[in-house]
């Protein structure tokens, strides 16, 4: 059974910009009867003293500007509290800009490159003490879904920061396929128990775990940062919604990859949360999941379109053929949704003006539901296109899909995996669409 010791290094002086941090740590390691450093030890160094030595100190009144400068991506915001991704790739509150354990009127930024800081400390301690130690630069993090703070590794050198169990067999003979242990974070948390948050002990030593140290510096704590492609929780709620709205684009070309009907049903569940008049539920969504049904509808609509062009517009057959030969986004999509308006519960006004307004309220509710559907489909990873054509031949749609007389098709939504990334959307300023009175 593995056992190890953890102790703090008290007595370090207040670190100032430009101080030799390795000299201060080496001296503290042998003061007060402590045993000094030995090969295989792991040194856990609070990032604040590294930041002080590197001159990462700013006036406190520059906090918001500093957070802005250190931020590369907003993850979540609640009031004035921001969770962001900072320049070091860490997702944390306020980009790591911190006013604790620093002189009044000042704030600390994180080290510019915590892994480089850990390598420099390791090299300096080797030269001063002759000991081959690992170094972990730590900082305090909150954690999603868990109350309380803990120290984690933001920089590392000479340490196997991850212990990859994938491919190993557990004690019951099961193959492990996902397990990776964050050794560096576990050490950081253990060291924090010895350092304490308010005891003024910024460095701790772990002895007895030489098996997790390495002869070279290794890849550093950057390895612990999950890639964007693997991050299932990359955004906070409001930011995820905002991004889904921003990323929602009309997609007109799809791959042949099938669409998950359960994902569409989840999008419909979002759609029916839209506001509606008189506490009604005026939405129905017809899901066309088979190619045969899609073709039946689209063939009937094509026949109706040709008849309109011939009988209402007076076009000849050659011109009709040219017009209807164009590619059809609905026919090329692997999945269709036909949203229908059902005006049950609407008020019957003899006055035409009020009757028209009543109808418009239900149409607006339908539009809100369709927007919810499109945004939710984007969140599910699908592209979509809302096409109006079913509105021009509602009787045809009802007949082809065997729908009740009161169901009015409000376009059709093509759903699928985009065949290519959509073109960049031009930036639209809200100011161009706002009138203030």
């Amino acid at each position: 059974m593995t056992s190890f010791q953890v102790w703090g290094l008290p007595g370090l002086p207040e670190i100032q910009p430009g101080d030799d941090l390795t000299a201060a740590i080496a001296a503290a390691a042998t003061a007060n009867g402590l045993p000094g450093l030995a090969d295989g030890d792991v040194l856990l160094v609070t990032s604040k003293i590294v930041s002080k030595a590197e001159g990462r100190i700013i006036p406190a009144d520059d906090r918001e500007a500093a957070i802005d400068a250190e931020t590369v991506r907003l993850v979540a915001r609640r009031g004035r509290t921001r969770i962001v991704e900072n320049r070091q790739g860490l997702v944390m509150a306020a980009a790591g800009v911190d006013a604790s354990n620093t002189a009044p009127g000042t704030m600390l930024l994180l080290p510019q490159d915590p892994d480089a800081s850990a390598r420099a400390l390791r090299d300096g301690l080797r030269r001063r003490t002759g000991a081959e130690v690992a170094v972990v630069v730590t900082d305090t993090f909150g954690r999603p879904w868990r109350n309380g703070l803990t120290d984690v590794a933001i920089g590392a050198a000479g340490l196997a920061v991850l212990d990859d169990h994938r491919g190993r067999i557990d004690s019951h003979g099961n193959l492990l396929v996902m397990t990776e242990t964050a050794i560096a974070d576990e050490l950081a948390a253990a060291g924090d128990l010895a350092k304490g948050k308010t005891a003024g002990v910024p460095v701790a030593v772990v002895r007895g775990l030489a098996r997790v140290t390495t002869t070279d510096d290794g890849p550093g704590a950057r390895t612990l940062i999950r890639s964007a492609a693997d991050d299932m929780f990359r955004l906070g709620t409001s930011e995820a919604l905002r991004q889904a709205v921003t990323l929602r684009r009309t997609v007109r070309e799809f791959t042949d990859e099938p669409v998950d009907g359960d994902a569409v049903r989840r999008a419909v569940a979002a759609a029916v949360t839209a506001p509606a008049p008189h506490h009604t539920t005026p939405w129905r969504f017809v899901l066309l999941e088979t190619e045969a049904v899609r073709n039946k509808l689209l063939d009937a609509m094509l026949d109706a379109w040709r008849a309109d062009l011939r009988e209402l517009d007076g076009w000849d057959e050659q011109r009709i053929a040219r017009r209807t030969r164009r590619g059809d986004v609905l026919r090329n999509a692997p999945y269709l949704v036909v949203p229908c308006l059902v005006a049950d519960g609407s008020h019957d006004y003899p006055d035409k003006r009020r009757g028209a307004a009543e109808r418009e309220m239900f149409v607006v509710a339908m539009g809100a539901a369709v927007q919810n559907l499109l945004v939710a489909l984007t969140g599910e990873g699908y592209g979509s296109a809302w096409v109006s054509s079913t509105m021009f031949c509602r009787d045809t749609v009802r007949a082809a899909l065997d729908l009740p007389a009161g169901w009015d098709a409000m376009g059709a939504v093509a759903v699928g995996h985009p065949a290519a990334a959509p073109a960049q959307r031009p930036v639209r300023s809200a100011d161009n669409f706002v009138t203030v009175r």
Side-chain angles (χ1 to χ4, degrees), residues 171-398:
S171 59
H172 293 280
N174 300 308
L175 178 67
L176 301 176
V177 295
M178 296 185 66
T179 304
E180 290 181 284
T181 302
I183 296 295
D185 284 348
E186 291 183 329
L187 286 166
D192 192 47
L193 293 175
K195 292 185 295 181
K197 297 296 183 191
T198 60
V201 179
V203 180
V205 178
V206 173
R207 178 165 295 174
L209 292 177
R211 62 182 177 81
V212 301
T213 64
T214 59
T215 55
D216 61 358
D217 285 334
R222 189 89 186 186
T223 309
L224 295 166
I225 298 174
R226 195 184 301 276
S227 69
D230 294 332
D231 189 351
M232 295 177 65
F233 310 101
R234 189 163 173 78
L235 298 174
T237 303
S238 61
E239 286 68 32
L241 177 60
R242 188 176 298 113
Q243 179 162 307
V245 171
T246 302
L247 293 178
R248 191 218 61 77
R249 305 295 302 279
T250 296
V251 175
R252 300 187 180 278
E253 296 184 12
F254 303 94
T255 69
D256 294 332
E257 187 177 351
V259 172
D260 179 6
D262 288 340
V264 176
R265 286 166 174 79
R266 289 193 293 270
V268 170
V272 299
T273 64
H278 313 316
H279 305 290
T280 59
T281 54
W283 325 279
R284 303 294 185 270
F285 293 88
V286 185
L287 311 184
L288 309 188
E289 297 190 331
T290 66
E291 184 177 6
V293 173
R294 293 194 296 273
N295 286 338
K296 178 183 178 181
L297 171 65
L298 297 175
D299 288 345
M301 290 172 58
L302 180 59
D303 289 343
W305 186 17
R306 287 170 173 161
D308 280 351
L309 293 175
R310 183 185 304 112
E311 298 165 11
L312 301 180
D313 298 301
W315 288 18
D316 60 40
E317 294 302 320
Q318 186 177 14
R319 188 179 181 188
I320 291 172
R322 286 199 304 269
R323 177 67 181 274
T324 58
R325 193 182 298 128
R326 298 181 305 176
D328 186 349
V329 62
L330 297 180
R331 197 174 290 276
N332 295 333
Y335 198 107
L336 295 181
V337 179
V338 180
C340 294
L341 174 63
V342 178
D344 293 346
S346 63
H347 294 172
D348 185 15
Y349 291 103
D351 176 70
K352 290 183 178 180
R353 175 179 57 82
R354 289 187 292 170
E358 179 78 2
R359 170 74 179 181
E360 287 175 357
M361 288 197 305
F362 280 80
V363 172
V364 168
M366 190 75 238
V370 172
Q371 172 71 355
N372 282 6
L373 178 77
L374 300 178
V375 171
L377 287 170
T378 301
E380 293 282 353
Y382 290 105
S384 63
W386 186 12
V387 181
S388 63
S389 53
T390 66
M391 300 172 67
F392 292 86
C393 54
R394 285 174 172 148
D395 288 340
T396 300
V397 174
R398 280 190 286 264

Side-chain angles (χ1 to χ4, degrees), residues 64-77:
E64 294 304 316
I67 295 173
D68 290 340
E70 295 294 303
T71 294
V72 298
R73 179 174 63 90
L74 176 68
V75 175
R77 182 195 298 271

Side-chain angles (χ1 to χ4, degrees), residues 9-261:
L9 299 185
L12 266 79
E14 179 67 28
I15 302 299
Q16 302 295 332
D19 281 355
D20 187 341
L21 189 55
T22 58
I25 292 173
T30 56
N32 303 311
L34 293 175
L37 299 178
D39 291 348
D41 285 350
V42 181
L43 207 68
L44 305 157
V45 183
T46 302
S47 63
K48 289 179 177 58
I49 63 170
V50 178
S51 295
K52 290 177 181 179
E54 295 178 355
R56 300 279 286 164
I57 303 173
I58 61 169
D61 57 5
D62 289 341
R63 183 176 187 272
E64 294 304 316
I67 295 173
D68 290 340
E70 295 294 303
T71 294
V72 298
R73 179 174 63 90
L74 176 68
V75 175
R77 182 195 298 271
R78 181 167 296 177
R80 296 190 64 185
T81 300
R82 283 185 278 172
I83 306 298
V84 304
E85 179 184 343
N86 65 13
R87 294 182 180 277
Q88 294 82 359
L90 303 167
V91 175
M92 59 193 310
V97 179
D98 195 357
S100 63
N101 291 302
T102 186
T106 66
M107 303 196 78
L108 296 174
L109 308 179
L110 290 177
Q112 286 187 323
D113 185 343
D115 283 328
S117 300
R119 291 192 295 269
L121 283 171
R122 184 182 189 227
D123 182 61
L125 290 167
R126 181 192 302 115
R127 287 186 281 104
R128 282 193 170 274
T129 68
E132 287 286 350
V133 301
V135 174
V136 178
V137 178
T138 72
D139 198 58
T140 302
F141 270 51
R143 299 159 299 156
W145 311 293
R146 304 283 289 181
N147 288 323
L149 305 173
T150 187
D151 265 23
V152 302
I154 65 169
L159 184 74
V161 296
L162 282 171
D163 188 5
D164 191 348
H165 294 262
R166 292 173 297 180
R168 302 181 193 175
I169 304 298
D170 69 12
S171 59
H172 293 280
N174 300 308
L175 178 67
L176 301 176
V177 295
M178 296 185 66
T179 304
E180 290 181 284
T181 302
I183 296 295
D185 284 348
E186 291 183 329
L187 286 166
D192 192 47
L193 293 175
K195 292 185 295 181
K197 297 296 183 191
T198 60
V201 179
V203 180
V205 178
V206 173
R207 178 165 295 174
L209 292 177
R211 62 182 177 81
V212 301
T213 64
T214 59
T215 55
D216 61 358
D217 285 334
R222 189 89 186 186
T223 309
L224 295 166
I225 298 174
R226 195 184 301 276
S227 69
D230 294 332
D231 189 351
M232 295 177 65
F233 310 101
R234 189 163 173 78
L235 298 174
T237 303
S238 61
E239 286 68 32
L241 177 60
R242 188 176 298 113
Q243 179 162 307
V245 171
T246 302
L247 293 178
R248 191 218 61 77
R249 305 295 302 279
T250 296
V251 175
R252 300 187 180 278
E253 296 184 12
F254 303 94
T255 69
D256 294 332
E257 187 177 351
V259 172
D260 179 6

